Amino acid sequence: MKQLMALFPYNVLLIIVGAVELAKWLLYLLHKSTIQVFNHRARANVKMDLDWGQKFGLMPRRLPKKIRHKSVLFHCASMGEVTATIGLIREILKQHPEHYVVVTTNTLTGKHQLQRRLSDEMGKRVFHTYLPIDLPWMMSALLRQVKPVVTLIMEVELWPNLIRKCRAKKIPVVVVNARMTDKTKRGYQRFSWLSGQMIKSLSKVLARNQDDFDRYVELGLPESRIEIVGNLKFDIEVPASELSQITRKEYNVENRLVFIAGSTHLDEEEVVISTYVKLKKSFPELLLVIAPRHPERFQQVLEYLLVQDVKIAQLSLDESVTDKIDVLLVDKMGELNRLYGAADVAFVGGSIAEKGGHNPLEASAYAKPVVMGPHVYNNSEVCSELVEAGGLVIANSEPEFTQIMTGWLSNKEAREAVGKAGLNAILSHAEMTATITTVVYNIIND
């Protein structure tokens, strides 16, 4: 009863938030049927789709009945969590061919990332649905349809009603790649009337490091239910060594030095272009590849590039990268990972802009040297380990950024050594998904 009373104001707040989200979705449907028929840019800028109604129980989840009592329910907040989860999903399907996987996300980009990363074979056993608003009847309906053998929550997306309903149905809840910052911990402590029972209901927390372990202990979870397994983001599929050369040939950049700026945000393109212009004087064969993080910014970045003194090719238009092209704009989703393979040097965005820095491991997996700005708090552990290994350099200013890039572009052996150091850091974390799968299934079978 005490927990239900604590959840009452939370549920009321969610009803209000849900009503706002529902209104946005209905407005999206109106645009889809009217304005967007005539406005291509409006279509490109939407962050919803028809299935968004699954959040409110208004659209079918399209989950086959055969998955009931045979599925693992994964919750991934968005694109980054989905990317980190793919290897673990692959390992679960490999070790347990009798099981299926249902992935829930909060965002359309998360859904699209899942669809892009699944092989045709995996797609037969992996299904997607949006996570409903965390209201008790919504979560009950989701669990009733899926009937999972376990619920895995990636990183830090803890939802009180989801966890409470899992506990009521005796479904173990495991937090994988558990991340708990000081700020998040303080928030949970401030609202302990809501979070206390939720934390204690977790079956297992697979923490990234000792700091995350300690913070969960401070929140009241017994040490026996916490295990340090390392950062799952390091356990990624390493591309075949020949793939880089194949991609360079495909994009006609075999005779170019390629500087890729991946997952860029507002104001980062300005720094990247400024640096590129300076570098171009010393390295005339240098090609800049820019991949904005969000598709709704593709047009904005294109308009910015058009007023610069550079010649542009757009990936979405299949424009050729001739010797005269200065900048290739990656204005298509799902292309960045492969393009890292074509690079000689890489900048990973969200780190000059104060967005916490995106994951540099996709570039490191191709043995590419990576530079980032100072704001890497969202991937602090990954970045710290790469810096320590020698595979990543942090630039704290634009002149420092230019200096690092100049050194790498002028010395092939130096940049290759940095790239190999990053790749070796990834390889040192091999078999992590197998370890996590074993722990999870020990809980299921307990």
Side-chain angles (χ1 to χ4, degrees):
M1 181 60 69
K2 184 177 179 181
Q3 186 185 10
L4 291 175
M5 290 179 65
L7 283 168
F8 179 75
Y10 169 76
N11 290 336
V12 170
L13 179 61
L14 275 187
I15 289 172
I16 296 170
V17 172
V20 173
E21 283 293 306
L22 177 59
K24 290 179 180 178
W25 181 61
L26 293 174
L27 185 60
Y28 157 76
L29 294 179
L30 177 63
H31 283 186
K32 183 178 176 64
S33 59
T34 56
I35 298 172
Q36 291 183 17
V37 171
F38 309 101
N39 188 333
H40 173 74
R41 189 181 300 180
R43 282 199 301 275
N45 289 345
V46 297
K47 296 182 180 181
M48 300 179 182
D49 62 4
L50 189 61
D51 287 339
W52 198 260
Q54 292 167 350
K55 286 176 169 281
F56 320 106
L58 298 179
M59 294 299 293
R61 295 192 181 93
R62 302 184 184 88
L63 302 176
K65 291 183 179 180
K66 66 182 179 181
I67 71 170
R68 294 178 182 178
H69 304 293
K70 296 179 181 178
S71 62
V72 174
L73 179 63
F74 268 94
H75 176 57
C76 303
S78 191
M79 184 166 67
E81 291 81 2
V82 169
T83 301
T85 304
I86 292 297
L88 182 55
I89 292 174
R90 187 182 295 112
E91 186 67 25
I92 287 174
L93 296 178
K94 174 185 172 184
Q95 288 194 27
H96 299 275
E98 76 280 10
H99 279 168
Y100 300 87
V101 169
V102 176
V103 179
T104 62
T105 66
N106 295 333
T107 66
L108 178 62
T109 53
K111 175 182 177 178
H112 285 168
Q113 180 72 343
L114 178 69
Q115 292 170 337
R116 284 192 295 268
R117 299 300 292 270
L118 291 178
S119 65
D120 291 341
E121 193 60 32
M122 289 174 68
K124 297 174 184 177
R125 296 169 60 197
V126 180
F127 304 91
H128 173 270
T129 182
Y130 287 112
L131 185 74
I133 300 292
D134 187 42
L135 291 166
W137 58 91
M138 296 281 194
M139 290 305 175
S140 289
L142 174 66
L143 296 176
R144 190 165 54 247
Q145 185 172 5
V146 178
K147 289 184 167 53
V149 295
V150 66
T151 295
L152 305 183
I153 297 174
M154 285 298 295
E155 297 197 2
V156 73
E157 275 271 322
L158 306 182
W159 293 102
N161 282 313
L162 171 61
I163 294 170
R164 187 171 72 89
K165 290 298 180 182
C166 284
R167 182 183 183 185
K169 295 177 183 293
K170 296 183 171 28
I171 300 167
V173 178
V174 181
V175 185
V176 178
N177 214 43
R179 176 165 57 94
M180 182 61 66
T181 64
D182 270 329
K183 182 179 179 181
T184 304
K185 183 196 72 175
R186 289 194 300 270
Y188 281 141
Q189 289 173 330
R190 189 176 300 117
F191 296 98
S192 59
W193 50 271
L194 177 63
S195 65
Q197 189 60 46
M198 175 184 72
I199 296 292
K200 292 174 183 176
S201 296
L202 298 173
S203 305
K204 194 80 171 181
V205 168
L206 302 180
R208 302 173 309 165
N209 54 43
Q210 189 65 48
D211 289 339
D212 297 315
F213 182 103
D214 293 341
R215 287 166 189 148
Y216 267 100
V217 171
E218 290 173 37
L219 288 171
L221 191 65
E223 291 188 16
S224 60
R225 282 193 256 160
I226 317 172
E227 187 172 335
I228 300 173
V229 296
N231 196 325
L232 185 60
K233 288 185 177 180
F234 274 99
D235 199 348
I236 65 175
E237 188 174 10
V238 175
S241 56
E242 63 270 15
L243 189 58
S244 288
Q245 210 52 44
I246 292 171
T247 306
R248 288 181 68 88
K249 184 175 182 179
E250 179 184 345
Y251 284 93
N252 193 34
V253 296
E254 293 172 289
N255 299 318
R256 305 287 295 269
L257 276 174
V258 181
F259 163 24
I260 187 167
S263 297
T264 59
H265 288 260
L266 183 66
D267 297 332
E268 290 185 322
E269 291 89 8
E270 185 177 347
V271 174
V272 167
I273 284 290
S274 173
T275 300
Y276 171 75
V277 170
K278 294 171 189 172
L279 294 170
K280 185 77 170 177
K281 295 174 183 177
S282 301
F283 307 98
E285 73 276 28
L286 187 62
L287 171 73
L288 173 62
V289 179
I290 295 183
R293 175 70 172 182
H294 300 296
E296 60 268 23
R297 294 194 60 245
F298 289 163
Q299 185 65 29
Q300 177 189 22
V301 175
L302 174 62
E303 290 171 0
Y304 174 75
L305 291 173
L306 287 172
V307 298
Q308 308 303 311
D309 189 21
V310 292
K311 294 180 176 63
I312 309 160
Q314 288 180 249
L315 192 62
S316 63
L317 301 179
D318 294 323
E319 293 178 337
S320 300
V321 180
T322 65
D323 292 342
K324 294 182 179 180
I325 293 297
D326 299 307
V327 180
L328 173 63
L329 175 61
V330 185
D331 50 356
K332 281 176 66 177
M333 293 296 288
E335 300 294 326
L336 177 59
N337 180 279
R338 197 159 56 96
L339 279 164
Y340 276 129
D344 292 288
V345 293
F347 162 72
V348 177
S351 57
I352 293 175
E354 294 190 29
K355 300 295 183 180
H358 297 299
N359 191 345
L361 293 175
E362 288 186 342
S364 294
Y366 284 99
K368 305 302 177 180
V370 182
V371 60
M372 296 181 73
H375 306 293
V376 295
Y377 50 83
N378 279 345
N379 283 289
S380 57
E381 186 181 4
V382 168
C383 292
S384 293
E385 187 162 341
L386 283 178
V387 168
E388 187 175 343
L392 168 67
V393 178
I394 301 296
N396 293 295
S397 64
E398 187 174 336
E400 193 174 339
F401 183 39
T402 305
Q403 181 183 8
I404 292 164
M405 296 294 291
T406 301
W408 285 348
L409 292 172
S410 59
N411 189 330
K412 182 178 180 181
E413 289 184 0
R415 67 175 181 261
E416 286 183 348
V418 175
K420 287 177 182 176
L423 175 59
N424 288 336
I426 293 173
L427 294 175
S428 70
H429 289 265
E431 303 303 320
M432 193 183 302
T433 53
T435 301
I436 293 173
T437 301
T438 299
V439 172
V440 168
Y441 274 82
N442 285 341
I443 295 170
I444 294 170
N445 297 324
D446 190 2

